[in-house]
Amino acid sequence: MRTTAIAGLALLGLAISAYLTWVHYAGIEPVCTGISDCERVQGSEYAELVGIPVALLGVAGYAALLGSLWVRVELTALLSYFALAFSAYLTWAELFRIDAICQWCVVSALTTLAIAVLATLRALGAPLHHRPLS
Amino acid sequence: MGTMTRTSMLTRLGLLAALAVVAVFAVVALAGPGKSEPARSGAAPDSLLGGIPQSGITLGSPDAPVTLVEFADLQCPFCAQYERDVLPDIVRRYVRTGKLRLELRLLRFLGPDSDRLARAAAGAGAHDRMWQFVALAYQRQGRENSGYATQDFIEGLAADAGIRSLDAGTAAERQVRRAEQAARTLGIDSTPSFLIGRTGGRLSTFQPGELTPGAFVPRIEKELQG
């Protein structure tokens, strides 16, 4: 059940990151709600880390999370903590450095939070069931 | 599975979480942007401009196929908006990759602060540090015609742009006059105004619908294909 939920959330994250990666390379503006300013976030220097768009890092991260579901519960947990820590950093940058928020990033940050919680519960619960994929 | 195992798993997860936090912190501290400019808004100009060829008023490779010229006034708030919202993206995507070269022609129609800043920026161009100087001037832009561009203010900009002695004398004045002359010829009466075209060819005026990278990218792409 938790595995399915993590897989679903990881797919959601993957879809968002893939969309933002496409937007980044196509040089177009992401679809954005009224209160957010995606263009500013996407165009900021925080949109890349050592030349790699963070959206592309998101694609890699969510794909790795998805793949880890077939490996060890601890690996999924570790990857989810990486994702959560990185999301926390990006959210901090949005709020305190860029002074703009993008709703895609908020959804992605909440997704990583949910995945981290579920991955923790899954790791704690897993030995009781001995099921690699439930 | 007993309590012991669950507790040890909890410990293990705690360690993994700590590892993740430390690793992400280390990566962004070492490789993340804006690390050298602490309290001020905006990043240190060199994090954007470092390593890109610069000559006088030009930023980017002289062999870049497309040229984008901007007419600006350093007191103009929309020019500051362009610098903040559009330029970083354009520089990373096109200038750093050698596809686009930028020229900045500074005007001074807003008032005496504009005049002092434009001449000082031209002086910075003699050291090939004009773009750093301009980036800082926009970051610290004051209220229009409040007299904020004092000698001290300008010297501060120059020092932070890495220029030891700034000469805003006759050569600088000549350069600003050339920009004004070009603006008059082209009928440019507002800033920021843009010209774009193949490098060395005829440039045409370009009016972006808004000051976002999305408004510039299609036009740059079109010129690159043309």
Side-chain angles (χ1 to χ4, degrees), chain B residues 21-92:
Chain B
V21 170
V22 171
V24 168
F25 187 83
V27 168
V28 299
L30 290 173
K35 52 190 183 295
S36 52
E37 187 82 349
R40 287 208 177 84
S41 66
D46 273 328
S47 74
L48 178 68
L49 304 170
I52 301 177
Q54 214 179 120
S55 169
I57 62 166
T58 310
L59 179 74
S61 163
D63 303 324
V66 176
T67 295
L68 175 69
V69 180
E70 182 200 358
F71 286 85
D73 185 310
L74 288 172
Q75 279 205 91
C76 137
F78 291 110
C79 304
Q81 190 191 335
Y82 165 78
E83 174 90 12
R84 189 189 64 219
D85 295 348
V86 182
L87 194 70
D89 217 30
I90 302 287
V91 166
R92 272 195 292 270

